[in-house]
Amino acid sequence: MLNSGDVLVVGGEPAGANIVERVTAKVSGEIVPVVTQVLEGMKLTSAGKVRIYGQARDARSAKGEYTVPSVMLQRLSDGSQYWAMPEKYVPGSSFEYSGVLPRLPRGLYALRVVAESGISESKIVKVIK
């Protein structure tokens, strides 16, 4: 997965037939979320709270309720994925999201907001303890 949320597929059959293809998931008429700020200076604490600001179009379920985006952290060293549990979500064209991080190993992570309209580009954050 690329920082943009696109997928790069590399391979080929038979041997020697090299194929590189970029797969982009786009939803027509939607605005992909954009993370504008992660508080705590991009240094997070395992099992601590995270507050994220960004921009996205409001998404509502069939019942008219707001759908809460998810926050995914992907560890750069091994690709492991972790999800933050939401505590608060304030929807609008600019959003505020706060949540509790799972227990994470120290290291660098790509933080992305995942919503019905798509996946944000990543912000690199460091888990310090």
Side-chain angles (χ1 to χ4, degrees), residues 18-99:
N18 296 323
I19 298 170
V20 177
E21 184 175 347
R22 185 175 183 151
V23 180
T24 305
K26 292 186 179 177
V27 180
S28 62
E30 292 293 334
I31 298 172
V32 174
V34 176
V35 176
T36 57
Q37 184 180 16
V38 180
L39 293 188
E40 290 81 36
M42 310 303 255
K43 291 183 180 178
L44 307 177
T45 304
S46 180
K49 291 188 178 183
V50 62
R51 187 174 301 153
I52 300 166
Y53 294 96
Q55 298 172 344
R57 180 172 291 177
D58 289 343
R60 294 180 184 249
S61 69
K63 295 180 181 179
E65 300 165 338
Y66 286 108
T67 58
V68 178
S70 300
V71 174
M72 179 183 72
L73 293 112
Q74 185 171 23
R75 193 168 185 209
L76 298 183
S77 63
D78 63 9
S80 299
Q81 293 181 355
Y82 303 87
W83 297 86
M85 301 301 297
E87 274 190 337
K88 175 183 175 185
Y89 172 61
V90 179
S93 59
S94 295
F95 67 83
E96 176 186 347
Y97 176 98
S98 62

Side-chain angles (χ1 to χ4, degrees), residues 90-119:
V90 179
S93 59
S94 295
F95 67 83
E96 176 186 347
Y97 176 98
S98 62
V100 177
L101 296 173
R103 296 225 174 262
L104 301 167
R106 286 188 215 185
L108 295 174
Y109 291 79
L111 181 146
R112 295 179 179 92
V113 172
V114 180
E116 287 188 13
S117 59
I119 301 171

